[in-house]
Amino acid sequence: MSSTTPDAKRSVPFARPWLTDDDRAAVQRVLTGHVLTHGPEGTAFEQEFASFMGGDAHCVTVSSCMAALHLAYLHFKIGPGDEVLVPAQTHVATAHAVELVGARPVFVDVDPATGNVTADRLAAAITDRTCAISVVHYAGMAVDMPPIAALARERGLKLIEDCALAVGSRIDGTHVGLFGDVGCFSFYPVKHLTTGEGGMFVSRDAETAERVARRRAFGVDRTPAERSVPGVYDVPEAGLNYRMSEMQAALGRGQLARMEENLRRRDENFRAIRGALEVVDGVRVLDDVRPGLNSHYCLTAVLGVEVGRRRAELIPDLNGRGVGTSIYYPRPVPQLKYYRERYGVDPASHPVATQISDCSIALPVGPHMTAEDASWVGEQVVASMAAHS
Ligand SMILES: *Cc1c(COP(=O)(O)O)cnc(C)c1O
């Protein structure tokens, strides 16, 4: 039958976990032992993630970024009657974590150049009921944190950073997640690094990390390793089970060890595609001007109004050419059914988030691509736009 032909069709998915034989062997090693949770892999992953971030990061493995966000609001006792500022342009988890503790998410529009909130936009949305600010480093682009951290300090607000798409993003050397009170990371399969499902809760405050570590394990006062008599413990507070298993942690350690190369490849792929798109009119690439701020989860191409109307034709055309795409995010959170019906926010209050949702295409830049793949993706996008102009 068919053998590989020289013109075999190239195909680049939007994202694919980067798994090696070493990763698989690490999981296998856990499975040949007896400790499947609460063990040395989890502790080592926490320490290695802290040293990757640098600064005074204290890290707690959790079952997802959503779990980390939920634990943050529980820890700060934010609840009914409280308001939390949430970017309109984000994953629904950022808002759900607020909603699930009974507080009210107040949606803030984002800046058109970066897709991120700014200190000015946040300041304008603060009321007497505001208790916390949550920021999202959109698609790997660091939010300009120093003025927002100053604003939070000045107004006595907690500051929670959703870093789900921002492993490796730093501002002047400081990793995102270390500007606020808490940073929350996701290790879902398509993110920068994966544990299948999983996440990391990060705080500069050792006591916060310690309390949250207990709350993610039912609020029990000592781990199995800390018990002098096996099976004997007490429970000083209510908690959840948001733990990460040893298999997941082992996978995460392998991924983290390749993070610098992962980030380098993302940066090269991003530059190649952005370069190709420079010749196209009516397309804007979300990016930042300072180097090091963007860990490139993907490349977000925002189409101008004219081209934007043709997104519904462009996406199937690109997919047909073999270019995987996605949309981040399909709608601003206040326009998702649950939030629309509950709060009835006027879409006119967040026009930029709406434009990004309606008119952007997310393109692949991950380490599953070679440099040639990246140039090819750029060419395909240019050709597709030309064919649909
Ligand atoms: C993916 C994502 C989440 C959710 O992460 P999980 O680990 O799947 O819970 C939260 N926030 C943002 C910005 C995300 O992109």
Side-chain angles (χ1 to χ4, degrees), residues 63-67 69 90-94 136-137 162-165 185-188 191 197-199 328-329:
S63 54
S64 69
C65 180
M66 169 88 217
L69 292 163
T90 183
H91 189 287
V92 73
T94 321
V136 175
H137 303 283
D162 182 336
C163 308
L165 300 180
F185 292 83
S186 172
F187 306 140
Y188 183 75
K191 313 245 161 148
E197 293 275 6
Y328 280 79
Y329 293 89

Side-chain angles (χ1 to χ4, degrees), residues 40-54 59 200 249-250 252-257:
E41 294 290 337
T43 307
F45 188 28
E46 288 170 348
Q47 287 164 354
E48 288 160 9
F49 201 79
S51 82
F52 171 80
M53 288 182 74
C59 298
M200 196 70 84
R253 293 180 67 195
Q255 309 256 309
L256 183 61

Side-chain angles (χ1 to χ4, degrees), residues 360-381:
S360 69
I361 302 178
L363 296 168
V365 302
H368 61 298
M369 303 163 67
T370 62
E372 281 148 39
D373 288 336
S375 312
W376 177 82
V377 165
E379 286 160 20
Q380 297 309 306
V381 177

